[in-house]
Amino acid sequence: MAMPKITRGRLTARINRLYLRWVAYGLILLFVSLLQAAPRLFPAFFGAHPVPLVPLVVCIAMFEGPMVGAAFGVGGGLLWALYADRLFGFDALLLLAIGCMCGLLVQVFLRNNWLTSLLLNGAVLLLYVLVDWLLRYVLFRNAEAVYALLHILLPNALYTFILSPLVYVLIYRVARSMRES
């Protein structure tokens, strides 16, 4: 059976849609990074603040695969590092691993739907919080490590988890509109 021939015009249109989709994801990443950096843009519930870059990287990786997920993870982590008070590149390294892992899981084992998004976001947020807690509090024998986990990090993760379906819907609509056009 012969493979269908892709003409130069169709291939160029396909590549243009791919680049347009990546530019749209990049603009969303920049916008979400600015929203996350704004001190009072998201209302704080019981002192918790959301971290929407993590579900954004997870959702982009779910739709685009491990390489693009890892690339946007590095980009989001570096944008986060510009205003965070931690080691530069820490978040980029974690989001790189998260983007690659989620992209591979959806590409090989899981289906891409909202339930999978909830499960992946919940697992990733818990993993991110625990790694952050271990490397920032427990490793340096901080006296308030348990307080930070229970009253700062876990509420932030829960707040982010509640907002993660909105991120999934946004990325779903962008991916779908760019594929159909």
Side-chain angles (χ1 to χ4, degrees):
M1 186 161 159
M3 294 292 290
K5 229 178 163 183
I6 298 177
T7 62
R8 185 169 176 84
R10 284 179 37 196
L11 183 62
T12 304
R14 194 177 198 185
I15 290 173
N16 286 342
R17 279 196 311 267
L18 178 70
Y19 287 141
L20 185 62
R21 196 167 61 234
W22 289 353
V23 167
Y25 290 148
L27 291 174
I28 291 170
L29 184 73
L30 181 62
F31 182 70
V32 167
S33 176
L34 291 173
L35 288 178
Q36 183 173 316
R40 292 178 196 90
L41 191 61
F42 286 110
F45 291 112
F46 303 108
H49 299 281
V51 186
L53 277 176
V54 176
L56 181 68
V57 168
V58 169
C59 291
I60 289 174
M62 286 177 67
F63 282 97
E64 298 298 326
M67 294 296 288
V68 177
F72 278 97
V74 169
L78 290 176
L79 285 172
W80 193 351
L82 291 175
Y83 62 85
D85 60 345
R86 343 180 200 212
L87 181 64
F88 189 81
F90 172 74
D91 298 308
L93 184 63
L94 283 178
L95 289 178
L96 167 102
I98 286 169
C100 188
M101 177 186 64
C102 291
L104 278 172
L105 282 172
V106 169
Q107 205 172 48
V108 176
F109 295 116
L110 304 172
R111 298 185 87 173
N112 189 355
N113 56 32
W114 67 273
L115 183 61
T116 304
S117 171
L118 284 177
L119 291 173
L120 279 178
N121 275 312
V124 161
L125 285 167
L126 188 62
L127 177 72
Y128 190 88
V129 162
L130 290 176
V131 168
D132 188 27
W133 178 67
L134 285 172
L135 294 179
R136 287 182 60 206
Y137 294 97
V138 175
L139 185 66
F140 295 112
R141 296 183 182 166
N142 192 333
E144 300 173 349
V146 175
Y147 177 83
L149 178 67
L150 296 177
H151 297 281
I152 297 170
L153 296 173
L154 286 176
N156 288 354
L158 180 64
Y159 191 5
T160 305
F161 179 73
I162 291 169
L163 293 179
S164 66
L166 298 175
V167 175
Y168 179 80
V169 168
L170 174 69
I171 297 301
Y172 173 76
R173 292 212 173 153
V174 168
R176 189 170 147 205
S177 69
M178 296 294 175
R179 288 187 204 285
E180 291 176 355
S181 63

